[in-house]
Amino acid sequence: MAIYKKGNSYEVRISYKDIKGNYKQHHKTGFKSKEEAEDYIANFKLKLSNNIIPLKDKITFSSYFKEWYETYKEPVISDNTKRRYRTYIREVKKYFNNKKLCEVNRKCYQLIISDYGKTHVKTSVTKFDFAIKSMVKSAILDGLIDTDFTKGITLVYNDDNKIEVDYLNLSEIKATVNYLIENLKSSPKTTNNYIFILTGFLTGMRLGEIQALTWEDIDFENNKITINKSWDDINFGFKPPKTKASNRVIDIPSILSNILKDKKKDKKDKLVFFNNTAHRVPVSQNINKSMRRLFKRLGISRNNYHFHSVRHSYVALAYSLGIDFYTISKQLGHANPTTTINTYSYLIEEFKQEQTDILVKKLDKLFT
């Protein structure tokens, strides 16, 4: 048994006899310190002495996937992602059945992913494949398999049942925002949700970021909002924002600042959008229901337009006003403009001809 330093981390190599008396090699990397590597060896020795080091040819694919998830993924992922991985555990059990980990090769995996793809859309297949790829890398590091059988696989999927997300055009965005501003106080029952929706249209904030908004986060004097947390619908409390870049301070239009200031006069709660009747902040179902009623009044037909689509509408509105993607990305909380461009590339195509016409006219004016 030996410990080696590799760059800024340590790796362990262990030679041992399995319960059949055969010599085996075990290799693991990624230890942050020598002490951590030594603890791992001590734990391995303990398992070895109790004959609980499993034989490679006895480990099923599904059991290793579950163990990998519980060891490496579950402690560090969000509750939403945990739900997705628990679904993966069931699907791995279904599609891989009782296959041994060592029995799965490229052909076997291709057949399985093709079968899985018959009833799943592209996004679902891609995410499922990513989870399997990550697990396979771990199995190689654990010395349980020798090759990555997920390389060179062709992903098969079925988009027949894919739900196309609806988006508003510019005239519909403007009509919606104007209606919200003009009718905020017409119905006290809908005021909270209407201001919630308006905040999304005028800031591009995520649902969880608006849910978690407190009065301390709003700088009314300078028309700014500090975003440093999100809302956990499951545990009914704050949680860290989606990414490191999501921690940001954004500028807001004065019209929204004034509306929020008026709202504060009647509020004693710490949370801006806490509903005293429901005893909670609005959840996505409430907001989407309010938007459907709103669109019905405006004669807008967008059955698959949900609150996350409001973020797209914010980008469309900002881009139509000539705002560059760097500024938009900072408002959205993206790490760099590339993320914003890749996510909203369809908007570039939509406005490309309009922008090209402006460019040509300006060039003509400059040189004639």
Side-chain angles (χ1 to χ4, degrees):
M1 299 186 181
I3 298 174
Y4 302 92
K5 187 171 184 180
K6 192 174 183 180
N8 294 323
S9 62
Y10 292 82
E11 64 179 66
V12 167
R13 291 184 184 274
I14 304 172
S15 298
Y16 67 98
K17 280 185 180 181
D18 64 24
I19 58 176
K20 287 186 175 180
N22 299 315
Y23 278 100
K24 300 289 183 180
Q25 287 281 338
H26 179 73
H27 174 226
K28 188 168 180 62
T29 62
F31 297 103
K32 295 179 181 179
S33 66
K34 188 176 180 180
E35 290 75 17
E36 187 179 349
E38 289 172 342
D39 288 342
Y40 181 84
I41 290 177
N43 187 50
F44 191 93
K45 284 181 177 180
L46 180 62
K47 289 182 178 180
L48 196 61
S49 65
N50 292 325
N51 290 326
I52 58 174
I53 300 296
L55 297 174
K56 288 183 183 180
D57 59 356
K58 297 295 183 182
I59 303 173
T60 63
F61 193 96
S62 60
S63 65
Y64 184 78
F65 185 89
K66 185 173 184 291
E67 180 184 333
W68 166 79
Y69 160 73
E70 291 172 345
T71 304
Y72 298 104
K73 301 298 291 185
E74 190 174 32
V76 296
I77 57 178
S78 68
D79 289 328
N80 285 336
T81 307
K82 285 176 185 176
R83 286 197 293 272
R84 175 152 51 88
Y85 269 89
R86 287 171 192 146
T87 300
Y88 290 162
I89 290 172
R90 293 193 296 272
E91 292 178 332
V92 164
K93 182 69 175 175
K94 173 184 175 182
Y95 286 91
F96 288 86
N97 202 357
N98 290 319
K99 285 186 180 296
K100 303 296 187 292
L101 179 61
C102 62
E103 292 175 344
V104 182
N105 54 28
R106 285 184 68 244
K107 181 180 179 181
C108 175
Y109 182 57
Q110 180 65 71
L111 292 172
I112 288 172
I113 205 70
S114 296
D115 189 27
Y116 181 82
K118 290 177 183 177
T119 54
H120 292 81
V121 298
K122 183 178 180 179
T123 303
S124 298
V125 175
T126 302
K127 289 181 178 180
F128 181 66
D129 176 63
F130 178 79
I132 299 296
K133 277 179 162 58
S134 300
M135 184 222 76
V136 167
K137 289 178 181 177
S138 178
I140 293 173
L141 290 174
D142 285 340
L144 299 176
I145 56 176
D146 299 320
T147 58
D148 185 351
F149 54 76
T150 65
K151 286 187 176 180
I153 293 298
T154 301
L155 296 185
V156 177
Y157 47 88
N158 183 351
D159 279 346
D160 289 346
N161 297 321
K162 181 179 180 181
I163 299 175
E164 294 293 335
V165 178
D166 278 336
Y167 300 111
L168 301 180
N169 59 40
L170 282 176
S171 62
E172 290 170 335
I173 294 172
K174 292 175 183 176
T176 301
V177 172
N178 283 329
Y179 182 90
L180 286 168
I181 293 172
E182 293 169 5
N183 293 274
L184 284 177
K185 296 183 178 180
S186 62
S187 177
K189 289 184 179 180
T190 61
T191 298
N192 195 51
N193 285 5
Y194 273 13
I195 299 177
F196 191 108
I197 296 167
L198 182 64
T199 301
F201 272 106
L202 296 182
T203 66
M205 291 171 67
R206 300 179 178 93
L207 176 77
E209 293 171 345
I210 302 178
Q211 288 175 312
L213 197 62
T214 66
W215 294 114
E216 291 179 352
D217 298 327
I218 305 174
D219 180 352
F220 290 109
E221 184 176 347
N222 297 299
N223 295 337
K224 293 180 184 293
I225 288 178
T226 297
I227 302 168
N228 52 25
K229 54 191 171 298
S230 187
W231 186 256
D232 187 339
D233 274 333
I234 297 175
N235 297 311
F236 300 102
F238 298 127
K239 66 179 181 179
K242 184 176 181 180
T243 65
K244 185 178 179 180
S246 298
N247 287 286
R248 63 199 188 277
V249 177
I250 63 171
D251 294 284
I252 62 173
S254 57
I255 189 168
L256 177 61
S257 182
N258 291 333
I259 288 170
L260 290 172
K261 189 183 293 184
D262 286 340
K263 178 178 174 57
K264 187 181 181 183
K265 294 175 183 177
D266 303 321
K267 293 283 288 184
K268 296 180 180 180
D269 305 294
K270 179 181 178 181
L271 290 163
V272 174
F273 293 102
F274 187 82
N275 187 317
N276 286 312
T277 303
H279 303 292
R280 66 181 185 188
V281 294
V283 294
S284 59
Q285 293 92 327
N286 304 135
I287 299 301
N288 290 330
K289 189 175 181 180
S290 292
M291 286 201 300
R292 284 192 292 272
R293 287 198 298 263
L294 172 63
F295 290 156
K296 187 176 181 179
R297 293 191 184 107
L298 292 169
I300 297 173
S301 179
R302 289 288 185 269
N303 294 330
N304 293 323
Y305 187 95
H306 304 289
F307 187 79
H308 186 72
S309 304
V310 173
R311 198 163 153 87
H312 288 248
S313 295
Y314 172 79
V315 176
L317 192 59
Y319 190 62
S320 71
L321 295 172
I323 308 302
D324 62 89
F325 269 106
Y326 176 81
T327 302
I328 295 173
S329 71
K330 293 303 179 186
Q331 287 283 114
L332 294 177
H334 287 163
N336 55 66
T338 303
T339 304
T340 311
I341 292 170
N342 289 340
T343 305
Y344 304 102
S345 57
Y346 70 94
L347 288 173
I348 298 176
E349 290 300 316
E350 184 179 332
F351 290 101
K352 184 170 70 174
Q353 190 57 53
E354 180 183 335
Q355 294 295 316
T356 302
D357 291 342
I358 293 173
L359 173 62
V360 171
K361 287 179 182 178
K362 287 189 175 182
L363 286 173
D364 283 337
K365 186 176 181 181
L366 183 63
F367 296 107
T368 55

